Amino acid sequence: MEQDFSMLDAIIGKYRNRSGILIPLLQDVQQTLGYLSKDAMRYLAEQMQIPAADIYGVATFYSMFKLKPQGKHIIRVCKGTACHVSDADGIKDALRNELGLEGEEDTTADMKFTLLEVACLGCCSLAPVIMVDDTTFGKLTPDSIKGILQRYAYEEEA
Ligand code: FES
């Protein structure tokens, strides 16, 4: 069944017939839909009369654009140098294990968490570091991961 993207029409109206608008257009669409699906990009291409390849090119070039649905909480695990030498891999493994992520998966089946790897989060003295949404957790060990994730689980039940 064709998805209805008419909720994007107001955004499209705002940017139509203007040049150099692809990035803000895609930011607005992502804010509305949570991510940029292929169908949504196709709809934009049709409506804006822009080649779909141009839209797809921008969406895949910038890491701020998400091409898959994201979990409610975004966990960023730092893979910068300071964190790397402080066992960022062990932290990542503990996270994947605790979240039950397998293979290429980066989002839990219940859509609660998405795990992303990022370069330096800017607080290397706290290495190894993760961020959950806007909160930073530093000087971690693999054993500390379970407790951090539980906070978010309890928060949601409260
Ligand atoms: S390398 Fe991880 S915070 Fe800088």
Side-chain angles (χ1 to χ4, degrees), residues 77-84 118-129:
V77 57
C78 180
K79 297 301 290 286
T81 307
C83 288
H84 182 69
V118 294
C120 183
L121 285 167
C123 41
C124 311
S125 61
L126 297 178
V129 178

Side-chain angles (χ1 to χ4, degrees), residues 49-124:
Q49 299 188 330
I50 299 173
D54 289 4
I55 294 183
Y56 193 69
V58 169
T60 51
F61 183 77
Y62 294 98
S63 61
M64 65 187 157
F65 293 123
K66 309 299 170 211
L67 305 181
K68 290 190 291 185
Q70 303 287 291
K72 181 167 184 219
H73 296 291
I74 305 294
I75 303 172
R76 294 179 170 82
V77 57
C78 180
K79 297 301 290 286
T81 307
C83 288
H84 182 69
V85 298
S86 306
D87 195 24
D89 283 339
I91 301 298
K92 187 182 100 179
D93 290 347
L95 279 164
R96 293 191 64 81
N97 199 20
E98 226 26 77
L99 294 171
L101 296 174
E102 289 178 11
E104 300 283 295
E105 290 172 355
D106 56 12
T107 297
T108 55
D110 61 6
M111 300 303 290
K112 266 194 189 157
F113 295 99
T114 291
L115 180 64
L116 304 175
E117 288 182 22
V118 294
C120 183
L121 285 167
C123 41
C124 311

